[in-house]
Amino acid sequence: MTAFMSRPPRGHRLLACLWLAVVLVIAAHQAWLWTRPAGVLDSDVLAMLPRDERRPAVAEATRALADAGERRVVVLIGAKDLAQARRAGDAFAGALGDGVALRWRVDEGEQNTWLDFYAPWRAALLTEADRKTLQTQPTEGLAHQALRALHQPVGLPRIGSWAEDPLNLRGRWLAERAGISRVRVQDGRLTVTDGDTTYAVLMAESTAPAFAVSAQRALVARLEAAGDAARKVVPDARVLMGGVPLFAASAAAQAEREIHTIGAGSLIGIVLLTWCAFRSLRPRVLVTLSMAVGLAAAVSVTHALFGGLHLITLVFGATLLGVAENYGSNYFCARMGLARAARWDMLRRQWPIVSLAMLTTVIAYALIGIAPFPGLRQIAVFSSAGLLGAFATVMLWFPWLDGEAAPATRFGLWLGGLRARVPSAASGRRKRAGWASAIVVATLFLAIGLSLLTRNDDIRQLQSAPAALIEQQREVSRVMGLPGVARFVLVEGGNEEQLLTRDEAVVRALGASGVESQAVSQWLPSLQAQREDAALIGRRATEINGALSTMLDETLPAPTAASSPLLAAQWLASPVSEPLRHQWLGRGADGVWRSAVLLRGGDTNLDTARLSSAIGQLPGAIWVDKVGEISALLGRYASLFGLMVVAGHLLVWLALLPRFGRRAWRALMPTSLATLLTLAVFGVAGVPVTLFHLLPLLILLGLGVDYGIFLLEQPGRHEIQPFLSVSLAALSTLLAFGLLALSTTPALRAFGLTLLIGVTLAWWLTPLFMPTDAIDESDDPSGAIAPIPPSSQGTP
């Protein structure tokens, strides 16, 4: 019997060889993956956010608007006067070099193209103010107005002769279009004036993929060098930059720093912990091997399923080291004091325990993927695959690679022996007063903390970009009056004409609400508007010209009518449409035509409820508030996951009943109490709870119950191995998630802080609820628990 038990389980060698083949495939994939010139990591924050599955058109519009500016950086170089701003801007442009498409100069030919484009349709273009004037003012008054304009030395720029357009309707229309943007052309340069500061405006657009990390670094370095060159020419020049590539580069740099800090810190801490516990090279090397295989498997599986790997996933995945280490440490704790020949017997006993622990943890991670966040789903797959990889490496390879059992170290004996010093709930009869006091204090703390608990689901609270970068972006947007893309109106129509007509209605509704907008219809009027304006201009121009001919005693030429209307295809093919072309979304796969109306002037003071109600009454108009939608989604899923945490505890208790009978509460209660105490800590500390504080409570459930399972399976309070294994697992997890709590990414920091508090509490509460060495049969009448044979426990 002993000889049989010293042999490996049937099929174990074959499984180990198959796992070796899988690992070799993973290694080959890693070698290919990390040597690709295009890079592996993605830093696009939008890729981590949920897609609007109920309104795919809104999701497509949001993506299209975001894509329009994902490679562009707006640079403002301010100085006291135009001459200094021009010199600094030219120096910046000269230092930027090739490889970046730069626009900062406009020659006379381009200006004429803009001015001449609308000439054929000048008799069909009216501002809202001129339209009302022509509809309401008498002919004689309009004629006198035209005469005054003729003799005024200063006025609006006039395109063409006075005789062709006495009221300067075309000049007014072009001036109003120019007023939509604060950018002007002065001395052949793009400029904008803010108070007493004149800014040179430069639009830099990278030709590389917007979220390629290497391209981001190169672009930011060149922009910073160009900024230094501008300051050398004009020392007091103010250089402001804004754009998606800057935020992407900042996120990439931040994530890489955290990968190094969390990943390296966790690895070093876990290696030192393993060394202190076993004081042997072999356990340290093998535990490191299991973690490395787990990480490689996580990267390969995630890349294969998602086609890429986000930096935030990799930062979170660095914490996988602390959990993946648990299986290796548990193996060597169980091996402690046993002869090498007994490792197969030990493996047979450990397999169901470790498998149950692994399964509960993987399920906890997998539950995170229920939320409709692509980022969370990627994290769930990454973590689950990594844990399975580490588990397979330990259970299939370690027995073959293992040598003689490592002797117990002083640190291991001290750490594993702490359990004997911790009073258990079973000793409450002797210390009733102490237990009663502890219960009262804990109950009061829970009542106070949970009553003070608050929620905050605002997605803006998860902003992790540096404050200086956010302030620069806001300043650039304010100076230039740039519209935002977080809130906009999506307009739909059955054809181009209906789309433009509805677009115009949205612009009028926003204007009535005091909101400035930027829309395609402001530059491309609908055919209906062109026909009505052409008829109005033709009728009133004939009347006005007749009155002027009488006043001047000179016959004025007859007004020129537009030969054909301005069509969308003509406008889109012209350079004049370039600034707004991305708002013309065109015809979708469903045959519906769409455009986007953007809001100007910031969105901090918007009455979104009133705007949403007003826009909702217009046909074909959809109010889109991505900030509000995602915040509401966070709130809904925070409530859902709160219920899932409660349901998860109930399901785990039911799953433990067949194995532990009435003792099942002992394995679950420490984690349940740790969960409530963690929430109470947040309440007392005034930390608002978000979805990213609730999600890790599922992981805490998977990890904490494992501690109870291991200690209930090995009930001896004076045995070293069980509590040593649990303590090494808890300390490794704390090393990983404790460092994650230092992350500058709010979602990751919330994850780490929750598990830092929760795992610490679960680790120290679990021994309190364990039975004494003697097994109370009345506590387990089913006889489901059998004590582990003495031969399996070993003596260090």
Side-chain angles (χ1 to χ4, degrees):
M1 181 68 177
T2 303
F4 171 77
M5 296 299 287
S6 64
R7 296 175 183 173
R10 181 178 300 177
H12 192 276
R13 186 189 300 272
L14 176 61
L15 290 175
C17 292
L18 290 175
W19 181 240
L20 175 61
V22 172
V23 172
L24 290 176
V25 172
I26 292 174
H29 180 257
Q30 295 289 305
W32 169 80
L33 191 63
W34 295 105
T35 55
R36 294 171 61 199
V40 178
L41 302 179
D42 181 16
S43 60
D44 181 6
V45 177
L46 288 177
M48 303 294 282
L49 297 179
R51 297 179 177 90
D52 195 333
E53 303 294 346
R54 295 173 299 173
R55 300 189 299 177
V58 172
E60 292 176 9
T62 303
R63 182 74 263 179
L65 293 175
D67 289 346
E70 68 178 11
R71 291 186 177 90
R72 182 175 299 170
V73 175
V74 179
V75 182
L76 301 182
I77 303 178
K80 297 178 180 178
D81 53 47
L82 175 61
Q84 289 185 334
R86 182 187 63 192
R87 291 201 307 272
D90 290 348
F92 186 99
L96 196 58
D98 300 328
V100 178
L102 186 65
R103 179 177 177 81
W104 90 104
R105 302 186 67 171
V106 178
D107 58 32
E108 187 174 349
E110 288 181 279
Q111 296 183 61
N112 291 334
T113 299
W114 278 70
L115 295 175
D116 295 340
F117 174 76
Y118 288 100
W121 301 284
R122 63 180 180 270
L125 303 174
L126 279 176
T127 66
E128 186 66 27
D130 285 340
R131 185 178 298 111
K132 292 180 179 179
T133 298
L134 293 179
Q135 290 171 342
T136 59
Q137 294 297 317
T139 301
E140 185 175 353
L142 293 174
H144 282 293
Q145 178 182 328
L147 286 175
R148 285 195 300 271
L150 175 63
H151 296 98
Q152 283 180 349
V154 179
L156 286 175
R158 179 176 292 278
I159 311 300
S161 67
W162 178 87
E164 294 175 341
D165 187 8
L167 291 177
N168 196 19
L169 298 177
R170 182 187 176 197
R172 293 176 190 276
W173 190 86
L174 290 174
E176 185 177 87
R177 303 289 84 73
I180 295 175
S181 172
R182 298 189 62 187
V183 179
R184 298 290 181 268
V185 178
Q186 299 184 73
D187 202 10
R189 271 80 170 175
L190 297 176
T191 64
V192 64
T193 301
D194 182 56
D196 58 355
T197 304
T198 300
Y199 291 91
V201 180
L202 299 94
M203 307 285 189
E205 189 162 335
S206 173
T207 56
F211 296 100
V213 177
S214 58
Q216 293 164 358
R217 290 199 191 97
L219 178 61
V220 171
R222 293 173 66 177
L223 289 171
E224 291 176 349
D228 293 338
R231 294 186 189 94
K232 287 182 180 179
V233 175
V234 181
D236 59 348
R238 186 187 187 197
V239 180
L240 299 174
M241 301 183 194
V244 173
L246 300 179
F247 284 86
S250 174
Q254 172 183 302
E256 288 189 351
R257 286 194 303 270
E258 293 182 359
I259 289 171
H260 296 151
T261 302
I262 297 172
S266 298
L267 182 59
I268 293 172
I270 291 169
V271 168
L272 290 176
L273 187 63
T274 307
W275 173 259
C276 291
F278 303 112
R279 200 67 59 83
S280 175
L281 181 62
R282 188 185 298 270
R284 183 174 58 176
V285 171
L286 292 181
V287 169
T288 304
L289 172 65
S290 68
M291 292 189 296
V293 172
L295 281 177
V299 171
S300 293
V301 171
T302 304
H303 187 271
L305 291 180
F306 294 91
L309 186 66
H310 202 280
L311 275 170
I312 292 180
T313 301
L314 200 57
V315 172
F316 185 89
T319 64
L320 190 65
L321 295 171
V323 184
E325 185 272 348
N326 297 350
Y327 308 126
S329 294
N330 178 76
Y331 176 89
F332 286 107
C333 286
R335 273 277 285 120
M336 193 178 292
L338 296 179
R340 188 171 188 272
R343 68 191 187 281
W344 299 113
D345 186 16
M346 179 274 297
L347 185 67
R348 289 183 175 88
R349 292 190 305 272
Q350 287 293 313
W351 192 280
I353 302 174
V354 180
S355 297
L356 180 61
M358 181 274 298
L359 185 61
T360 57
T361 307
V362 168
I363 290 174
Y365 274 108
L367 286 174
I368 296 176
I370 293 177
F373 288 74
L376 292 179
R377 289 173 177 172
Q378 193 175 114
I379 287 173
V381 170
F382 186 96
S383 301
S384 300
L387 291 176
L388 288 170
F391 169 81
T393 302
V394 171
M395 304 305 288
L396 296 178
W397 285 2
F398 275 27
W400 300 100
L401 302 175
D402 189 11
E404 293 299 328
T409 64
R410 183 174 299 179
F411 173 78
L413 291 172
W414 170 81
L415 185 60
L418 288 178
R419 180 184 179 185
R421 301 185 180 94
V422 177
S424 71
S427 63
R429 298 175 182 175
R430 300 179 182 178
K431 301 180 180 180
R432 292 179 181 176
W435 280 108
S437 299
I439 292 172
V440 170
V441 171
T443 303
L444 286 175
F445 183 79
L446 283 173
I448 295 172
L450 294 178
S451 66
L452 296 174
L453 199 63
T454 59
R455 281 252 306 270
N456 188 345
D457 302 313
D458 192 341
I459 187 66
R460 287 171 292 194
Q461 298 298 317
L462 302 179
Q463 173 66 257
S464 61
L469 189 59
I470 295 175
E471 184 58 33
Q472 271 201 77
Q473 179 68 46
R474 288 175 177 169
E475 186 68 2
V476 169
S477 298
R478 184 193 66 80
V479 171
M480 295 191 64
L482 297 176
V485 295
R487 293 186 173 115
F488 62 94
V489 180
L490 180 64
V491 186
E492 297 182 331
N495 50 52
E496 291 181 342
E497 173 62 9
Q498 188 180 59
L499 174 63
L500 289 171
T501 302
R502 291 177 172 179
D503 199 277
E504 291 166 342
V506 169
V507 172
R508 288 193 296 270
L510 290 174
S513 300
V515 178
E516 297 181 11
S517 60
Q518 175 178 294
V520 170
S521 61
Q522 293 169 331
W523 296 84
L524 175 64
S526 65
L527 298 181
Q528 178 182 345
Q530 292 183 58
R531 285 193 298 267
E532 292 176 354
D533 288 347
L536 179 61
I537 291 173
R539 177 170 56 84
R540 297 309 309 270
T542 301
E543 298 171 356
I544 294 168
N545 283 5
L548 287 173
S549 297
T550 301
M551 294 176 181
L552 297 175
D553 194 20
E554 178 182 345
T555 302
L556 295 180
T560 303
S563 58
S564 60
L566 172 60
L567 302 177
Q570 295 170 300
W571 181 76
L572 290 170
S574 170
V576 302
S577 66
E578 191 274 332
L580 285 86
R581 201 173 291 157
H582 62 285
Q583 292 179 232
W584 181 263
L585 303 175
R587 185 178 183 180
D590 55 359
V592 178
W593 292 81
R594 295 182 177 89
S595 67
V597 178
L598 305 184
L599 279 56
R600 287 184 172 275
D603 57 5
T604 54
N605 298 319
L606 287 180
D607 186 347
T608 55
R610 184 169 63 88
L611 280 177
S612 176
S613 176
I615 296 301
Q617 298 175 10
L618 300 176
I622 302 172
W623 170 253
V624 180
D625 181 2
K626 296 307 295 181
V627 173
E629 289 175 9
I630 296 176
S631 297
L633 188 67
L634 285 175
R636 290 198 301 272
Y637 274 88
S639 301
L640 174 62
F641 274 91
L643 295 175
M644 285 183 62
V645 170
V646 176
H649 281 258
L650 178 61
L651 291 174
V652 167
W653 178 69
L654 293 175
L656 293 174
L657 279 177
R659 176 73 178 173
F660 297 110
R662 293 181 182 177
R663 293 185 173 217
W665 71 272
R666 296 184 182 275
L668 180 61
M669 182 59 71
T671 303
S672 300
L673 188 56
T675 299
L676 293 174
L677 286 172
T678 300
L679 293 175
V681 168
F682 290 142
V684 172
V687 177
V689 172
T690 69
L691 172 65
F692 299 98
H693 290 93
L694 298 175
L695 284 173
L697 295 180
L698 289 171
I699 300 176
L700 174 61
L701 175 60
L703 295 175
V705 169
D706 288 350
Y707 306 156
I709 291 173
F710 276 111
L711 294 185
L712 269 184
E713 286 282 1
Q714 305 175 77
R717 293 183 64 224
H718 295 281
E719 295 297 331
I720 301 298
Q721 297 96 324
F723 195 66
L724 176 59
S725 174
V726 167
S727 298
L728 290 177
L731 288 171
S732 299
T733 303
L734 290 176
L735 277 171
F737 287 104
L739 290 173
L740 190 63
L742 302 177
S743 171
T744 55
T745 302
L748 296 181
R749 184 168 62 247
F751 239 101
L753 187 60
T754 302
L755 285 173
L756 177 65
I757 299 171
V759 169
T760 301
L761 290 171
W763 174 30
W764 283 106
L765 286 173
T766 300
L768 295 176
F769 290 86
M770 291 299 107
T772 56
D773 289 352
I775 297 179
D776 187 355
E777 294 296 337
S778 65
D779 200 23
D780 182 32
S782 65
I785 302 176
I788 295 178
S791 61
S792 70
Q793 298 177 16
T795 302

